[in-house]
Amino acid sequence: MSRRSRVDQWDSIELRRATTRLSLQFTGLMVVLLSVVGVLVFGFAAAGSATAARQTLDEAVDLGNARDAPLDVFLAVYDRGRVAVSRDMPSGLPVEEALAEVAADGGRREETVTVGKTSYRVLTVSRGDAVVQAALDTRDSRQELQRLALVLLATIVGAALIAAVFSVMAARAAMQPLVRALALQRRFVSDAGHELRTPLTLLSTRAQILHRRLAAREERAAAEGGEAPEGWLSDGLTEIVSDASVLTGILEDLLVTADPRRNEATEDVDLAAVAAETAAAFRAKAEESGLDLRVQAPGDAVYVRGVRAAFARLLTALLSNAVDYARTCVVLSVAGSGREAVLTVSDDGPGLPPELEGRLFERFSSVRSAGTGAGEAPGRQRHYGLGLALAAEVAARFGGSIRADSQPGAGTSLVVRLPLAGRGF
């Protein structure tokens, strides 16, 4: 299977997964909403049925005559020790205990009584010298509520099925443009990586060839007693080869982070060594700006788990920011603290404006300066671009964190904490 076929297959799988998730979420939401509506409807219906039954019983006990009982209502009148009951009174009725209790204490007693397989709503009240008891057969109302519950359940299930079908169709239609955009983005990243990798490889190869030729001329000059080439030229070519290798690593790391399908190979990286190499690359820029760039690192290696090029990008972003705003010096320190490696980049610049708190590591964050730094005009717009945001993403990617310690006019310290190798993240 070709790489493009694998990419298309992966896109198809991701499209199906995203469509399924959206469909399930939408269908679940519809089921929840319809269930809430169904519960409310059923509750109102049950409350209405109960109210109607209570009203029927109240009207029945007001009759006071067992022979006048309406349909489905059975009356019993207890007066002067005699009990008169309506025609066809079911066995088990009237409830003699309720009659005796109300006759003794007066008041009102309402209860549900089951006789055989039939439930009756029974109301017993005192009416003058007599006690009247009305019993209402609730079978019809219960059956009506059961039919309503089945209708509501069928409605919810049917609506859920219809919602599922339409949500799948809508989700597919909505996801297609996004999938095409992501596919276009991945193709661009892949093509850009290929196009950039080729000239970097050529640059590195040519620099190595020139370096070997210079080394051969030096050997011949030493053997013949002639004049050797300038040493700085050979050193410069060595630096170019090293820089091309670093750029290639950064490019590969960017390609990995831009495409989540690519497997990321991590290793134990000596953070102190990466810090020293990155600082060496910045030394010339610091000297041109009149800055003293200091590196403080332990004699032993400080290993963290990750990608060397990614940590180089993180250090480059932090040093670039420090060199841009420092007055006289920049200090880069690496140390182990407990289970963490602590990387700190400090400068003696104007510090961070309070308005930037909480937004420093956002992309393209900016704030209007109050002019607290030396030679810094009030009202000047300070932009922080992508560097610090990318540094925060690299730290988070390998289980670490980054924070800024700063006071206006007193410099800034950017502190990165990463798990030491073997601690996991």
Side-chain angles (χ1 to χ4, degrees):
M1 183 183 293
S2 65
R3 183 177 184 277
R4 179 57 58 86
S5 298
R6 289 196 301 270
V7 170
D8 293 339
Q9 183 179 15
W10 190 89
D11 288 342
S12 178
I13 293 173
E14 286 300 303
L15 174 61
R16 287 198 299 271
R17 289 176 178 173
T19 300
T20 301
R21 285 194 297 269
L22 288 174
S23 302
L24 290 176
Q25 291 171 359
F26 179 76
T27 304
L29 178 61
M30 291 297 297
V31 169
V32 170
L33 292 177
L34 290 174
S35 298
V36 171
V37 173
V39 169
L40 291 175
V41 170
F42 186 83
F44 286 133
S49 177
T51 301
R54 189 175 296 110
Q55 183 178 359
T56 300
L57 290 173
D58 286 335
E59 292 174 353
V61 295
D62 287 339
L63 295 174
N65 190 333
R67 293 191 299 271
D68 297 333
L71 185 65
D72 293 332
V73 177
F74 304 97
L75 278 179
V77 180
Y78 176 73
D79 187 14
R80 298 182 180 89
R82 299 179 60 185
V83 178
V85 298
S86 60
R87 188 175 49 188
D88 299 328
M89 175 71 73
S91 176
L93 293 177
V95 182
E96 296 179 356
E97 179 184 352
L99 288 172
E101 180 180 336
V102 174
D105 301 333
R108 175 189 181 101
R109 175 171 170 174
E110 188 172 354
E111 58 190 323
T112 299
V113 176
T114 301
V115 178
K117 296 182 179 181
T118 306
S119 294
Y120 298 91
R121 190 68 183 167
V122 178
L123 173 64
T124 307
V125 297
S126 176
R127 288 290 185 268
D129 294 334
V131 176
V132 182
Q133 184 178 95
L136 175 65
D137 188 347
T138 60
R139 178 171 42 197
D140 290 341
S141 61
R142 286 201 319 274
Q143 290 176 349
E144 288 292 332
L145 289 176
Q146 290 173 357
R147 284 193 290 269
L148 176 61
L150 290 175
V151 169
L152 290 174
L153 181 61
T155 301
I156 292 173
V157 172
L161 293 176
I162 295 173
V165 173
F166 279 98
S167 63
V168 168
M169 297 171 58
R172 282 187 175 277
M175 292 296 296
Q176 284 292 349
L178 180 59
V179 169
R180 287 194 293 268
L182 290 176
L184 180 62
Q185 174 185 310
R186 283 193 292 268
R187 284 197 296 270
F188 170 77
V189 170
S190 179
D191 294 344
H194 179 270
E195 295 299 324
L196 289 173
R197 192 184 293 111
T198 300
L200 281 174
T201 303
L202 292 175
L203 176 63
S204 177
T205 301
R206 289 170 181 170
Q208 292 178 40
I209 292 173
L210 287 175
H211 187 269
R212 285 196 294 269
R213 288 178 179 175
L214 282 175
R217 288 184 59 185
E218 289 177 355
E219 291 177 359
R220 286 198 302 270
E224 297 172 359
E227 184 177 357
E230 296 288 345
W232 61 265
L233 184 57
S234 178
D235 294 339
L237 287 173
T238 301
E239 293 176 355
I240 291 175
V241 173
S242 177
D243 291 343
S245 177
V246 171
L247 284 174
T248 302
I250 290 175
L251 176 62
E252 292 291 342
D253 184 59
L254 288 172
L255 290 175
V256 169
T257 56
D259 190 347
R261 300 166 305 169
R262 298 170 69 103
N263 294 325
E264 184 175 41
T266 59
E267 59 181 348
D268 290 348
V269 179
D270 183 1
L271 194 61
V274 178
E277 293 172 4
T278 309
F282 267 86
R283 201 167 298 281
K285 181 179 179 180
E287 291 176 354
E288 289 179 2
S289 303
L291 301 175
D292 180 18
L293 177 56
R294 306 172 195 167
V295 179
Q296 299 173 353
D300 298 331
V302 179
Y303 285 107
V304 293
R305 190 72 180 174
V307 178
R308 188 181 188 88
F311 294 133
R313 288 200 294 125
L314 182 149
L315 280 157
T316 299
L318 298 185
L319 284 174
S320 177
N321 178 77
V323 169
D324 285 344
Y325 293 104
R327 293 193 189 100
T328 61
C329 70
V330 174
V331 179
L332 169 60
S333 65
V334 180
S337 176
R339 297 184 176 186
E340 295 179 319
V342 182
L343 170 69
T344 306
V345 178
S346 303
D347 65 72
D348 61 350
L352 298 173
E355 302 91 324
L356 199 61
E357 184 177 358
R359 298 191 296 113
L360 180 62
F361 301 106
E362 295 178 2
R363 293 170 179 259
F364 303 107
S365 57
S366 63
V367 69
R368 192 168 297 279
S369 170
T372 56
E376 185 176 20
R380 173 174 171 253
Q381 195 78 5
R382 292 175 60 174
H383 301 278
Y384 293 88
L386 279 171
L388 295 183
L390 292 176
E393 290 179 4
V394 170
R397 178 175 151 200
F398 298 109
S401 63
I402 183 171
R403 63 180 175 85
D405 293 332
S406 176
Q407 293 294 331
T412 301
S413 292
L414 297 173
V415 183
V416 179
R417 293 181 175 273
L418 294 163
L420 291 172
R423 298 295 181 182
F425 55 87

